[in-house]
Amino acid sequence: MAYRLLRIAALVELASLILLLTNLATVHWAPVASLLGPVHGCAYLFVIGATVQVTGDLRTRLLAAVPGIGGLLVIRRLRRGPAPAAGVEMYR
């Protein structure tokens, strides 16, 4: 359940950031910024919280703190599977 909510929050975070930056670069309407700013902030915090619930890997948790694309990076990392243990070489 948390993984599904993480996906939704990551997409909302990215979409709201794109809309905020588009608004800033074009017409800069204050009502749009005042609506999308808190939406982006809440989605950002939700991505961090959901990542903490889903995984215990420190690197994955740190990826969640990257604004805008952190959630998508976390999802990509989680799809790859568990990270190899430190000091263990992988031969392919």
Side-chain angles (χ1 to χ4, degrees):
M1 180 73 173
Y3 183 75
R4 181 175 157 201
L5 293 175
L6 174 63
R7 268 193 355 226
I8 294 169
L11 292 174
V12 169
E13 178 188 10
L14 180 63
S16 63
L17 181 63
I18 289 170
L19 290 173
L20 276 169
L21 293 176
T22 303
N23 180 46
L24 182 65
T26 57
V27 293
H28 193 60
W29 287 337
V32 172
S34 66
L35 174 70
L36 290 176
V39 169
H40 174 70
C42 288
Y44 175 67
L45 292 175
F46 195 87
V47 164
I48 293 172
T51 302
V52 168
Q53 282 187 340
V54 169
T55 184
D57 182 35
L58 179 62
R59 290 182 182 180
T60 306
R61 288 180 174 185
L62 290 175
L63 274 178
V66 176
I69 61 167
L72 297 176
L73 294 174
V74 167
I75 292 170
R76 181 176 156 205
R77 186 171 175 104
L78 290 175
R79 283 187 182 164
R80 286 185 180 173
V88 176
E89 293 185 26
M90 298 285 294
Y91 295 102
R92 294 182 185 196

